[in-house]
Structure formats: C-alpha cells, structure tokens
Short mmCIF file of all heavy atoms in Angstrom, two decimals:
data_model
loop_
_atom_site.label_atom_id
_atom_site.label_comp_id
_atom_site.label_asym_id
_atom_site.label_seq_id
_atom_site.Cartn_x
_atom_site.Cartn_y
_atom_site.Cartn_z
N THR A 6 7.76 -16.32 22.35
CA THR A 6 8.27 -15.14 21.66
C THR A 6 7.83 -15.12 20.20
O THR A 6 7.91 -16.13 19.51
CB THR A 6 9.81 -15.10 21.73
OG1 THR A 6 10.20 -15.08 23.11
CG2 THR A 6 10.36 -13.86 21.02
N ILE A 7 7.35 -13.96 19.75
CA ILE A 7 6.97 -13.77 18.35
C ILE A 7 8.26 -13.69 17.53
O ILE A 7 9.00 -12.70 17.62
CB ILE A 7 6.14 -12.49 18.16
CG1 ILE A 7 4.92 -12.47 19.07
CG2 ILE A 7 5.75 -12.32 16.69
CD1 ILE A 7 3.87 -13.48 18.76
N THR A 8 8.53 -14.71 16.76
CA THR A 8 9.78 -14.73 15.97
C THR A 8 9.62 -14.12 14.59
O THR A 8 10.59 -13.69 13.97
CB THR A 8 10.28 -16.18 15.82
OG1 THR A 8 9.25 -16.98 15.21
CG2 THR A 8 10.63 -16.76 17.19
N LYS A 9 8.37 -14.08 14.10
CA LYS A 9 8.11 -13.47 12.81
C LYS A 9 6.68 -12.94 12.81
O LYS A 9 5.78 -13.62 13.29
CB LYS A 9 8.29 -14.47 11.67
CG LYS A 9 8.07 -13.89 10.28
CD LYS A 9 8.26 -14.96 9.20
CE LYS A 9 7.98 -14.41 7.81
NZ LYS A 9 8.12 -15.47 6.76
N LEU A 10 6.50 -11.73 12.27
CA LEU A 10 5.17 -11.13 12.28
C LEU A 10 4.94 -10.35 10.99
O LEU A 10 5.74 -9.49 10.63
CB LEU A 10 5.00 -10.19 13.48
CG LEU A 10 3.68 -9.42 13.57
CD1 LEU A 10 2.51 -10.37 13.77
CD2 LEU A 10 3.73 -8.40 14.71
N HIS A 11 3.88 -10.69 10.29
CA HIS A 11 3.44 -9.90 9.14
C HIS A 11 1.97 -9.59 9.31
O HIS A 11 1.14 -10.49 9.44
CB HIS A 11 3.65 -10.63 7.81
CG HIS A 11 3.10 -9.88 6.64
ND1 HIS A 11 3.70 -8.76 6.13
CD2 HIS A 11 1.96 -10.06 5.91
CE1 HIS A 11 2.97 -8.29 5.13
NE2 HIS A 11 1.91 -9.06 4.98
N ILE A 12 1.64 -8.30 9.31
CA ILE A 12 0.27 -7.84 9.51
C ILE A 12 -0.31 -7.43 8.16
O ILE A 12 0.31 -6.66 7.42
CB ILE A 12 0.24 -6.65 10.49
CG1 ILE A 12 0.68 -7.12 11.89
CG2 ILE A 12 -1.16 -6.03 10.55
CD1 ILE A 12 0.85 -6.00 12.88
N PRO A 13 -1.50 -7.94 7.80
CA PRO A 13 -2.09 -7.59 6.50
C PRO A 13 -2.49 -6.12 6.44
O PRO A 13 -2.73 -5.47 7.47
CB PRO A 13 -3.32 -8.50 6.42
CG PRO A 13 -3.65 -8.82 7.83
CD PRO A 13 -2.35 -8.86 8.57
N GLY A 14 -2.58 -5.59 5.23
CA GLY A 14 -2.96 -4.19 5.04
C GLY A 14 -3.93 -4.06 3.90
O GLY A 14 -4.57 -5.01 3.47
N GLY A 15 -4.04 -2.84 3.38
CA GLY A 15 -4.97 -2.56 2.30
C GLY A 15 -6.13 -1.73 2.78
O GLY A 15 -6.32 -1.54 3.99
N PRO A 16 -6.95 -1.22 1.86
CA PRO A 16 -8.10 -0.39 2.23
C PRO A 16 -9.07 -1.13 3.15
O PRO A 16 -9.43 -2.27 2.91
CB PRO A 16 -8.76 -0.08 0.87
CG PRO A 16 -7.68 -0.26 -0.14
CD PRO A 16 -6.81 -1.36 0.39
N SER A 17 -9.47 -0.45 4.22
CA SER A 17 -10.48 -0.97 5.16
C SER A 17 -10.09 -2.30 5.78
O SER A 17 -10.92 -3.17 6.02
CB SER A 17 -11.85 -1.08 4.46
OG SER A 17 -12.27 0.16 3.96
N VAL A 18 -8.79 -2.46 6.05
CA VAL A 18 -8.28 -3.62 6.79
C VAL A 18 -7.58 -3.07 8.04
O VAL A 18 -6.72 -2.21 7.94
CB VAL A 18 -7.30 -4.47 5.97
CG1 VAL A 18 -6.73 -5.60 6.83
CG2 VAL A 18 -7.98 -5.02 4.73
N ARG A 19 -7.97 -3.58 9.19
CA ARG A 19 -7.47 -3.04 10.47
C ARG A 19 -7.07 -4.20 11.39
O ARG A 19 -7.82 -5.17 11.50
CB ARG A 19 -8.58 -2.18 11.09
CG ARG A 19 -8.39 -1.77 12.53
CD ARG A 19 -9.55 -0.86 12.94
NE ARG A 19 -9.62 -0.66 14.38
CZ ARG A 19 -10.54 0.08 14.99
NH1 ARG A 19 -11.47 0.70 14.26
NH2 ARG A 19 -10.55 0.20 16.31
N PHE A 20 -5.92 -4.07 12.02
CA PHE A 20 -5.51 -5.09 12.98
C PHE A 20 -5.18 -4.40 14.29
O PHE A 20 -4.18 -3.69 14.42
CB PHE A 20 -4.29 -5.85 12.47
CG PHE A 20 -3.93 -7.06 13.31
CD1 PHE A 20 -4.86 -8.04 13.60
CD2 PHE A 20 -2.64 -7.23 13.80
CE1 PHE A 20 -4.54 -9.15 14.36
CE2 PHE A 20 -2.30 -8.34 14.58
CZ PHE A 20 -3.26 -9.30 14.85
N ASP A 21 -6.04 -4.56 15.27
CA ASP A 21 -5.83 -4.00 16.60
C ASP A 21 -5.05 -5.00 17.43
O ASP A 21 -5.54 -6.10 17.72
CB ASP A 21 -7.18 -3.70 17.28
CG ASP A 21 -7.85 -2.46 16.73
OD1 ASP A 21 -7.44 -1.99 15.66
OD2 ASP A 21 -8.79 -1.97 17.39
N THR A 22 -3.84 -4.64 17.82
CA THR A 22 -3.00 -5.59 18.54
C THR A 22 -1.96 -4.84 19.37
O THR A 22 -1.77 -3.62 19.21
CB THR A 22 -2.28 -6.53 17.56
OG1 THR A 22 -1.63 -7.57 18.30
CG2 THR A 22 -1.25 -5.79 16.72
N ALA A 23 -1.31 -5.57 20.26
CA ALA A 23 -0.21 -5.02 21.03
C ALA A 23 1.05 -5.87 20.87
O ALA A 23 2.03 -5.68 21.59
CB ALA A 23 -0.59 -4.93 22.52
N ILE A 24 1.02 -6.82 19.93
CA ILE A 24 2.20 -7.66 19.72
C ILE A 24 3.10 -7.03 18.66
O ILE A 24 2.66 -6.23 17.83
CB ILE A 24 1.82 -9.10 19.30
CG1 ILE A 24 1.11 -9.12 17.94
CG2 ILE A 24 0.97 -9.76 20.37
CD1 ILE A 24 0.89 -10.52 17.38
N TYR A 25 4.37 -7.40 18.70
CA TYR A 25 5.34 -6.97 17.71
C TYR A 25 6.41 -8.05 17.62
O TYR A 25 6.49 -8.94 18.49
CB TYR A 25 5.95 -5.61 18.08
CG TYR A 25 6.57 -5.55 19.47
CD1 TYR A 25 7.90 -5.93 19.70
CD2 TYR A 25 5.82 -5.10 20.57
CE1 TYR A 25 8.46 -5.87 20.97
CE2 TYR A 25 6.37 -5.05 21.84
CZ TYR A 25 7.70 -5.43 22.03
OH TYR A 25 8.25 -5.38 23.29
N GLN A 26 7.20 -8.01 16.57
CA GLN A 26 8.23 -9.04 16.40
C GLN A 26 9.22 -9.00 17.57
O GLN A 26 9.64 -7.93 18.01
CB GLN A 26 8.98 -8.84 15.08
CG GLN A 26 9.86 -10.03 14.72
CD GLN A 26 10.15 -10.11 13.23
OE1 GLN A 26 9.26 -9.92 12.41
NE2 GLN A 26 11.39 -10.38 12.88
N ASP A 27 9.54 -10.17 18.09
CA ASP A 27 10.43 -10.37 19.24
C ASP A 27 9.74 -10.09 20.58
O ASP A 27 10.38 -10.17 21.63
CB ASP A 27 11.71 -9.54 19.14
CG ASP A 27 12.55 -9.91 17.92
OD1 ASP A 27 12.58 -11.11 17.57
OD2 ASP A 27 13.17 -9.02 17.32
N TYR A 28 8.46 -9.78 20.55
CA TYR A 28 7.72 -9.62 21.79
C TYR A 28 7.41 -10.99 22.38
O TYR A 28 7.05 -11.93 21.66
CB TYR A 28 6.40 -8.87 21.54
CG TYR A 28 5.45 -8.84 22.72
CD1 TYR A 28 5.77 -8.14 23.87
CD2 TYR A 28 4.22 -9.50 22.67
CE1 TYR A 28 4.90 -8.10 24.95
CE2 TYR A 28 3.34 -9.47 23.74
CZ TYR A 28 3.69 -8.77 24.88
OH TYR A 28 2.82 -8.74 25.95
N SER A 29 7.54 -11.12 23.68
CA SER A 29 7.25 -12.39 24.37
C SER A 29 5.88 -12.31 25.03
O SER A 29 5.65 -11.45 25.89
CB SER A 29 8.33 -12.70 25.41
OG SER A 29 9.55 -12.99 24.79
N ILE A 30 4.99 -13.19 24.60
CA ILE A 30 3.64 -13.23 25.17
C ILE A 30 3.69 -13.92 26.53
O ILE A 30 4.09 -15.08 26.64
CB ILE A 30 2.68 -13.98 24.24
CG1 ILE A 30 2.58 -13.25 22.89
CG2 ILE A 30 1.31 -14.13 24.88
CD1 ILE A 30 1.79 -14.01 21.85
N PRO A 31 3.33 -13.21 27.60
CA PRO A 31 3.39 -13.82 28.94
C PRO A 31 2.24 -14.80 29.16
O PRO A 31 1.19 -14.70 28.49
CB PRO A 31 3.27 -12.61 29.88
CG PRO A 31 2.55 -11.58 29.09
CD PRO A 31 2.91 -11.80 27.65
N PRO A 32 2.39 -15.73 30.08
CA PRO A 32 1.37 -16.76 30.29
C PRO A 32 0.27 -16.39 31.28
O PRO A 32 -0.55 -17.22 31.61
CB PRO A 32 2.20 -17.93 30.84
CG PRO A 32 3.29 -17.25 31.62
CD PRO A 32 3.61 -15.98 30.86
N TYR A 33 0.25 -15.13 31.73
CA TYR A 33 -0.60 -14.78 32.87
C TYR A 33 -1.95 -14.19 32.48
O TYR A 33 -2.81 -14.00 33.34
CB TYR A 33 0.13 -13.77 33.77
CG TYR A 33 1.52 -14.19 34.13
CD1 TYR A 33 2.63 -13.61 33.51
CD2 TYR A 33 1.74 -15.20 35.08
CE1 TYR A 33 3.92 -13.99 33.83
CE2 TYR A 33 3.03 -15.59 35.41
CZ TYR A 33 4.11 -14.99 34.78
OH TYR A 33 5.38 -15.38 35.10
N TYR A 34 -2.15 -13.89 31.20
CA TYR A 34 -3.31 -13.09 30.83
C TYR A 34 -4.17 -13.76 29.77
O TYR A 34 -3.87 -14.86 29.32
CB TYR A 34 -2.86 -11.70 30.38
CG TYR A 34 -1.87 -11.08 31.33
CD1 TYR A 34 -0.56 -10.82 30.95
CD2 TYR A 34 -2.23 -10.78 32.65
CE1 TYR A 34 0.37 -10.28 31.83
CE2 TYR A 34 -1.31 -10.25 33.55
CZ TYR A 34 -0.01 -10.00 33.13
OH TYR A 34 0.89 -9.48 34.02
N ASP A 35 -5.23 -13.07 29.35
CA ASP A 35 -6.14 -13.57 28.34
C ASP A 35 -5.39 -13.93 27.07
O ASP A 35 -4.39 -13.30 26.71
CB ASP A 35 -7.19 -12.49 28.04
CG ASP A 35 -8.26 -12.97 27.09
OD1 ASP A 35 -9.21 -13.60 27.56
OD2 ASP A 35 -8.13 -12.71 25.88
N SER A 36 -5.88 -14.94 26.35
CA SER A 36 -5.16 -15.45 25.18
C SER A 36 -5.35 -14.60 23.92
O SER A 36 -4.65 -14.82 22.93
CB SER A 36 -5.61 -16.88 24.88
OG SER A 36 -6.98 -16.91 24.51
N MET A 37 -6.26 -13.62 23.95
CA MET A 37 -6.46 -12.81 22.75
C MET A 37 -5.26 -11.89 22.51
O MET A 37 -4.88 -11.11 23.39
CB MET A 37 -7.73 -11.97 22.84
CG MET A 37 -8.11 -11.34 21.51
SD MET A 37 -9.61 -10.33 21.59
CE MET A 37 -8.96 -8.88 22.42
N ILE A 38 -4.67 -11.98 21.31
CA ILE A 38 -3.50 -11.16 20.99
C ILE A 38 -3.78 -10.15 19.88
O ILE A 38 -2.90 -9.36 19.52
CB ILE A 38 -2.29 -12.03 20.61
CG1 ILE A 38 -2.64 -12.98 19.46
CG2 ILE A 38 -1.78 -12.79 21.83
CD1 ILE A 38 -1.45 -13.78 18.94
N GLY A 39 -4.98 -10.17 19.33
CA GLY A 39 -5.30 -9.21 18.30
C GLY A 39 -6.70 -9.39 17.77
O GLY A 39 -7.36 -10.42 18.01
N LYS A 40 -7.16 -8.37 17.03
CA LYS A 40 -8.47 -8.41 16.40
C LYS A 40 -8.29 -7.92 14.96
O LYS A 40 -7.82 -6.80 14.74
CB LYS A 40 -9.46 -7.50 17.13
CG LYS A 40 -9.59 -7.83 18.61
CD LYS A 40 -10.56 -6.91 19.34
CE LYS A 40 -10.21 -5.46 19.17
NZ LYS A 40 -10.92 -4.61 20.16
N LEU A 41 -8.64 -8.77 14.01
CA LEU A 41 -8.55 -8.41 12.60
C LEU A 41 -9.94 -8.00 12.13
O LEU A 41 -10.89 -8.76 12.27
CB LEU A 41 -8.01 -9.59 11.79
CG LEU A 41 -7.75 -9.35 10.30
CD1 LEU A 41 -6.71 -8.25 10.09
CD2 LEU A 41 -7.26 -10.65 9.64
N ILE A 42 -10.04 -6.79 11.58
CA ILE A 42 -11.33 -6.25 11.17
C ILE A 42 -11.24 -5.79 9.72
O ILE A 42 -10.26 -5.16 9.32
CB ILE A 42 -11.76 -5.05 12.04
CG1 ILE A 42 -11.58 -5.37 13.53
CG2 ILE A 42 -13.21 -4.68 11.77
CD1 ILE A 42 -10.37 -4.76 14.17
N VAL A 43 -12.27 -6.12 8.93
CA VAL A 43 -12.35 -5.64 7.56
C VAL A 43 -13.72 -5.05 7.31
O VAL A 43 -14.70 -5.38 8.00
CB VAL A 43 -12.08 -6.76 6.51
CG1 VAL A 43 -10.72 -7.42 6.76
CG2 VAL A 43 -13.20 -7.79 6.52
N GLN A 44 -13.80 -4.17 6.30
CA GLN A 44 -15.07 -3.60 5.89
C GLN A 44 -15.12 -3.59 4.37
O GLN A 44 -14.11 -3.35 3.70
CB GLN A 44 -15.21 -2.16 6.43
CG GLN A 44 -16.56 -1.51 6.20
CD GLN A 44 -16.61 -0.67 4.94
OE1 GLN A 44 -15.60 -0.42 4.30
NE2 GLN A 44 -17.81 -0.23 4.58
N ALA A 45 -16.29 -3.93 3.83
CA ALA A 45 -16.46 -3.98 2.38
C ALA A 45 -17.88 -3.59 2.02
O ALA A 45 -18.74 -3.42 2.90
CB ALA A 45 -16.13 -5.37 1.84
N ARG A 46 -18.17 -3.48 0.71
CA ARG A 46 -19.48 -3.01 0.25
C ARG A 46 -20.59 -3.98 0.62
O ARG A 46 -21.70 -3.57 0.94
CB ARG A 46 -19.47 -2.81 -1.26
CG ARG A 46 -18.57 -1.68 -1.74
CD ARG A 46 -18.80 -1.41 -3.22
NE ARG A 46 -18.63 -2.61 -4.04
CZ ARG A 46 -17.47 -3.02 -4.52
NH1 ARG A 46 -16.36 -2.34 -4.24
NH2 ARG A 46 -17.37 -4.11 -5.27
N THR A 47 -20.32 -5.28 0.52
CA THR A 47 -21.34 -6.30 0.79
C THR A 47 -20.78 -7.35 1.75
O THR A 47 -19.56 -7.43 1.97
CB THR A 47 -21.76 -7.01 -0.51
OG1 THR A 47 -20.65 -7.76 -1.01
CG2 THR A 47 -22.23 -6.00 -1.56
N ARG A 48 -21.67 -8.18 2.28
CA ARG A 48 -21.23 -9.24 3.20
C ARG A 48 -20.36 -10.26 2.48
O ARG A 48 -19.34 -10.69 3.01
CB ARG A 48 -22.44 -9.92 3.83
CG ARG A 48 -22.06 -10.96 4.89
CD ARG A 48 -23.28 -11.49 5.63
NE ARG A 48 -22.86 -12.37 6.71
CZ ARG A 48 -22.77 -13.69 6.61
NH1 ARG A 48 -23.07 -14.29 5.45
NH2 ARG A 48 -22.38 -14.43 7.64
N ASP A 49 -20.75 -10.67 1.28
CA ASP A 49 -19.95 -11.64 0.53
C ASP A 49 -18.54 -11.11 0.29
O ASP A 49 -17.55 -11.84 0.43
CB ASP A 49 -20.61 -11.95 -0.81
CG ASP A 49 -21.87 -12.80 -0.66
OD1 ASP A 49 -22.05 -13.39 0.42
OD2 ASP A 49 -22.65 -12.88 -1.63
N TYR A 50 -18.45 -9.84 -0.08
CA TYR A 50 -17.15 -9.23 -0.32
C TYR A 50 -16.35 -9.16 0.98
O TYR A 50 -15.14 -9.39 1.00
CB TYR A 50 -17.36 -7.84 -0.94
CG TYR A 50 -16.09 -7.15 -1.40
CD1 TYR A 50 -14.89 -7.83 -1.56
CD2 TYR A 50 -16.11 -5.78 -1.70
CE1 TYR A 50 -13.74 -7.17 -1.99
CE2 TYR A 50 -14.97 -5.13 -2.13
CZ TYR A 50 -13.79 -5.82 -2.26
OH TYR A 50 -12.66 -5.18 -2.67
N ALA A 51 -17.03 -8.85 2.08
CA ALA A 51 -16.34 -8.77 3.38
C ALA A 51 -15.78 -10.13 3.80
O ALA A 51 -14.68 -10.21 4.35
CB ALA A 51 -17.29 -8.23 4.44
#
C-alpha cells in the first residue's frame, strides 16, 4: 500500500501514473508504476 505520495511538478515535468495515496499495488502485474518525464532547452539541463 502506498502510504505516502508526493509527485514532483513545475514547467515541463510530467508523471504518468495510476498510483495514488492509499492505493494497494497488486502482485499480479508488471512492476512499472509510473513514468517521470522532463523537457528542457539542452540535454545537460534536462
């Protein structure tokens, strides 16, 4: 069970997920629970 969840924000920050606080992750499926994506002017900045 997700007991605490804080998702980052800000310009060009994206978190694709289906989890939420108090959600129970079942043991039957793929282990990926989210994808964190950012975009910036340059690779170093990203």
Side-chain angles (χ1 to χ4, degrees):
T6 301
I7 305 292
T8 57
K9 181 180 178 182
L10 176 65
H11 175 74
I12 294 173
S17 301
V18 176
R19 167 177 167 181
F20 189 54
D21 284 15
T22 189
I24 64 172
Y25 55 86
Q26 192 157 316
D27 298 325
Y28 171 67
S29 292
I30 298 173
Y33 310 104
Y34 312 115
D35 185 84
S36 64
M37 191 180 75
I38 55 174
K40 304 179 305 195
L41 185 60
I42 312 103
V43 304
Q44 187 266 351
R46 293 189 305 274
T47 66
R48 185 172 186 266
D49 288 344
Y50 187 15

